[in-house]
Amino acid sequence: MEFSSKLIEKAVNEMSQLPGIGKRTALRLVLHLLKQPKEQTGFLSQALLNMREDIKFCENCHNISDTQICEICANTSRNHQVICVVEDIRDVMAIENTGQYKGIYHVLGGKISPIEGVGPSQLNIFSLVEKVKSGKVTEIIFALSSTMEGDTTNFYIYKQIAESEIIISTIARGIAVGDELEYADEVTLGRSILHRVPFEKTFKNN
């Protein structure tokens, strides 16, 4: 792709680094910004800078937050004895949109994947195990995608907390194998949470 301006070329190259944004889409976005008032581009730039500089991770669940403790963990009407284990913020948003879950979350920050060099120590697993050991948790719900990496992560955590006297469940397989939670429709995901099953059944029957 040839550019008549090095400034445009640099902007397009940076924009195309975003997931799902190719060079042509990046060019359309850049040209759109060029047509907007300068202050509009300034608002966008400032919002992105503020996000990078001021964003925090909840000290309790590791969710992205504006404060030290996120709004979900700070909500006293939520059931703090039930923890839904998810991969990242997108899964929290997907489950919250169902309106069916009233517990809190624990964001792992990824899944165990030896191929990608991601091991248990690189995820927020230790803090989850510590929560279980505290005796304040009655149920852990695994809500990772039903992929090999997701199942491996579920099983690893299960082995760490299996001796505890709590309910360990997983969302029902209304979510197709291999699907990511963020792409599931709200009704299906909501039902999968409400009709969750004991985690042990998912591997003892295999």
Side-chain angles (χ1 to χ4, degrees), residues 31-132:
L31 294 178
H32 172 76
L33 290 173
L34 198 59
K35 294 177 182 178
Q36 302 304 304
K38 285 185 178 181
E39 59 267 24
Q40 189 65 42
T41 305
F43 294 151
L44 173 60
S45 300
Q46 193 58 52
L48 293 173
L49 285 172
N50 290 344
M51 177 190 68
R52 288 297 292 129
E53 292 177 359
D54 299 332
I55 203 75
K56 296 177 176 63
F57 291 92
C58 177
E59 294 179 351
N60 184 54
C61 72
H62 309 289
N63 191 12
I64 290 174
S65 175
D66 293 341
T67 54
Q68 296 297 332
I69 301 296
C70 72
E71 292 183 357
I72 294 174
C73 288
N75 188 341
T76 55
S77 67
R78 309 282 299 216
N79 185 351
H80 287 242
Q81 294 181 313
V82 178
I83 299 177
C84 185
V85 181
V86 298
E87 181 182 349
D88 60 30
I89 175 63
R90 294 171 296 180
D91 300 328
V92 173
M93 295 171 66
I95 294 173
E96 283 297 287
N97 285 338
T98 69
Q100 299 296 320
Y101 178 67
K102 303 304 178 184
I104 59 175
Y105 297 89
H106 186 91
V107 181
L108 294 176
K111 293 174 290 192
I112 295 173
S113 177
I115 294 177
E116 297 180 4
V118 179
S121 63
Q122 294 166 281
L123 304 177
N124 299 318
I125 293 177
F126 176 76
S127 56
L128 175 62
V129 175
E130 289 299 300
K131 288 177 186 177
V132 173

Side-chain angles (χ1 to χ4, degrees), residues 3-19:
F3 297 92
S4 59
S5 166
K6 292 295 183 183
L7 295 174
I8 292 291
E9 181 178 5
K10 184 176 181 180
V12 168
N13 287 338
E14 291 301 323
M15 192 78 75
S16 64
Q17 300 300 312
L18 297 173

